[in-house]
Amino acid sequence: MTPADGGQVALIVKVATQLFAALGYDGTSTRQIAEAAGLNIATVNYHVGGKRELYLAVMERAHLAERTALEQALARLSGTDPVVAIHRLMDDYLDFCVDHPEIPALWMHRWLSDASDITELEREYVQPLIENVGAALLPAREAGVIDAGVDLEYTIWSAIWSIHGFAKGGVLDAEGRRRGAGDRAALRRFRAHLHQSLHRTLGLPGDAP
């Protein structure tokens, strides 16, 4: 692959990510991707294959970014105050989704049965990450820091639903205007709410930060 080819592939994947995040897989055509990239369909097909192959490449790229960020966050859990570490993990994931809103958007489209014929992504990409977070939180539950009656799996999912929803859709203010992650006041308020909710759900000792 020449440098020019590599540049075109990167451009195609970038444009496809934006369109899949905005319109979903089912709502995006290869022609739209080609036009947005300033290329013809033959060039797109030559570099990345058809729409399915391109979607799989986009989702793999999104997963690798999310996995890398999560692994770095989980690596900081050990050797620190578990309550502080749990809240920091929440902050790290929120910051990742705010910085990369296209990734929550891609997964939220799948929640609505987008690309329903591509069924393996949740098993390959999502489930292992959920399990990794659950395993990382087990020592805190075994030590009595987390309430023994808490359903960790559903708590993790609840955090994901909430963070993805805010990163993608924000909240409505008193005038009905949408305030999202780009609004510092809304983000600060959501972060405080998230920490308080997590603290209470897990039954953590002390006060939420």
Side-chain angles (χ1 to χ4, degrees), residues 62-98:
H63 166 67
L64 291 176
E66 188 170 15
R67 187 184 71 183
T68 298
L70 188 58
E71 287 175 348
Q72 293 173 348
L74 292 177
R76 293 193 288 269
L77 280 179
S78 60
T80 59
D81 180 325
V83 175
V84 173
I86 290 169
H87 281 285
R88 185 167 61 193
L89 175 62
M90 179 70 75
D91 269 330
D92 287 342
Y93 190 66
L94 173 58
D95 290 340
F96 172 80
C97 290
V98 167

